[in-house]
Amino acid sequence: MKRLLTVQDISCVGKCSLTVALPIVSVMGVETCPLPTALLSGHTAFSHFSFRDLTDEIPKIEDAWGKENISFDTIESGYLGSIRQIELVRELGKKFRKSASCLQIVDPAMADGGKLYTGFSQEFVAAMRELCRDADVIVPNLTEACLLTGRVYREDADPDFWKEVLADLAGLGCRDVIVTGFRKADGIGVMSLHQENGKTTCGTYLNERLPESFHGTGDIFASVLSGALTRGWPLQEAQKLAVDFTLECIRRTMEDPQRRFYGVNFEQALPMLLGRMNKAEQEKGQA
Ligand code: PXL
């Protein structure tokens, strides 16, 4: 079984980061090792939240894993709480990417809707840019992509603007760049750029755009994508599954009159994810 390391916080209530990555990547048949970077009562979009920093634990965990000769097929990181934590993830990558096939996936979770999340600065953005340089795959939304490439965020960005942003992000050195939130007519999805054997392919994948947006959907997208890439799926298929599953979670949330304000109903959509995975892998087996 493939093994994935996911480095991000655990927010007890809020349906984001580790509470999303653990069930999603596990249901995709990948061993999921969490490295919690902080313990929060809820994510930082709540009016009140507690925050216990776990940075000091990271080198101790790293040291123990080194002695046990642990390795990972994928190292994925999401929300990180400080520049020091970004540096530690870079160190983890250098230490635990023992084979060339080990993937590093970075979701530079730090901003949305044109704004940095509470507590982040331009210095943090600069450090995140360096982590993105180490990655094979990065998954920013358009706000994060603009921050990483030194652009002013534009709500009404046209496809040419998106293509320029993607080209600049690829210039950081990552093989694959997937920017989420690409819109066209009634659709929403991703625009991505894939580099292989000196060839660059740019593509989009869209599905239906529902009239509401919810917190935590970026984490859901990144988890599905990471699970599928770890299972060896090609980028185009992995991003399609991630877009479709995220939409399914939003649809289920909107249908529920008793929905929570802070996250989406991904739990009851998990059978769909498993069904899609099994069907695709069966078809591959038969091919
Ligand atoms: O969904 C990204 C995320 C993860 N973890 C924490 C957050 C956020 C976004 O606000 O606050 C703690």
Side-chain angles (χ1 to χ4, degrees):
M1 194 188 294
K2 299 273 188 182
R3 184 193 283 145
L4 174 144
L5 169 64
T6 173
V7 191
Q8 43 191 334
D9 66 279
I10 182 150
S11 291
C12 306
V13 179
K15 303 200 196 196
C16 66
S17 33
L18 283 184
T19 58
V20 160
L22 275 168
I24 289 181
V25 182
S26 297
V27 92
M28 296 178 84
V30 173
E31 179 184 343
T32 314
C33 305
L35 203 174
T37 52
L39 170 66
L40 289 89
S41 55
H43 54 58
T44 59
F46 280 89
S47 311
H48 308 277
F49 59 89
S50 68
F51 185 99
R52 167 81 165 181
D53 185 79
L54 297 174
T55 306
D56 291 346
E57 290 303 307
I58 300 175
K60 293 187 227 166
I61 293 171
E62 185 184 320
D63 187 49
W65 283 344
K67 289 181 181 140
E68 296 288 345
N69 246 326
I70 304 277
S71 63
F72 298 99
D73 299 291
T74 298
I75 299 177
E76 184 226 356
S77 60
Y79 181 97
L80 299 169
S82 64
I83 293 174
R84 175 75 189 126
Q85 287 193 348
I86 295 178
E87 288 166 356
L88 286 168
V89 173
R90 295 190 73 198
E91 250 181 67
L92 276 166
K94 290 194 179 88
K95 189 158 174 183
F96 292 99
R97 293 184 74 184
K98 291 194 179 145
S99 77
S101 64
C102 172
L103 269 182
Q104 185 157 3
I105 303 175
V106 173
D107 176 3
M110 59 184 171
D112 204 2
K115 285 199 210 98
L116 273 169
Y117 293 145
T118 306
F120 292 149
S121 63
Q122 284 303 324
E123 288 72 36
F124 184 89
V125 174
M128 193 55 98
R129 192 177 296 124
E130 295 311 303
L131 177 60
C132 288
R133 283 187 207 282
D134 294 350
D136 299 296
V137 186
I138 60 170
V139 201
N141 59 36
L142 186 63
T143 305
E144 290 154 352
C146 287
L147 286 162
L148 290 168
T149 59
R151 283 182 168 76
V152 176
Y153 170 78
R154 282 169 37 188
E155 179 99 46
D156 61 346
D158 59 24
D160 286 340
F161 180 88
W162 277 74
K163 282 182 197 151
E164 281 170 26
V165 171
L166 269 117
D168 276 5
L169 287 171
L172 294 175
C174 353
R175 188 195 64 202
D176 295 322
V177 175
I178 306 173
V179 183
T180 58
F182 181 66
R183 291 170 176 220
K184 197 170 155 192
D186 296 337
I188 189 161
V190 295
M191 187 183 277
S192 66
L193 201 150
H194 173 62
Q195 306 185 85
E196 199 173 353
N197 304 328
K199 225 183 99 194
T200 303
T201 357
C202 186
T204 56
Y205 177 71
L206 293 109
N207 203 327
E208 187 186 345
R209 171 154 44 105
L210 296 173
E212 270 190 76
S213 55
F214 295 92
H215 200 271
T217 47
D219 297 1
I220 286 174
F221 180 88
S223 300
V224 176
L225 186 91
S226 300
L229 292 177
T230 305
R231 298 278 313 216
W233 285 36
L235 186 81
Q236 306 297 334
E237 285 177 39
Q239 72 184 21
K240 189 167 185 286
L241 181 63
V243 167
D244 293 350
F245 181 71
T246 308
L247 170 66
E248 178 68 12
C249 296
I250 297 172
R251 180 179 290 131
R252 282 174 178 271
T253 309
M254 288 185 63
E255 279 167 7
D256 180 359
Q258 286 174 352
R259 63 179 177 250
R260 320 262 191 236
F261 77 90
Y262 51 71
V264 289
N265 178 352
F266 73 90
E267 296 89 338
Q268 291 173 320
L270 288 173
M272 172 267 197
L273 180 60
L274 190 57
R276 282 276 296 263
M277 288 259 329
N278 287 343
K279 188 162 173 275
E281 300 214 347
Q282 241 168 28
E283 282 166 4
K284 231 182 286 170
Q286 282 162 4

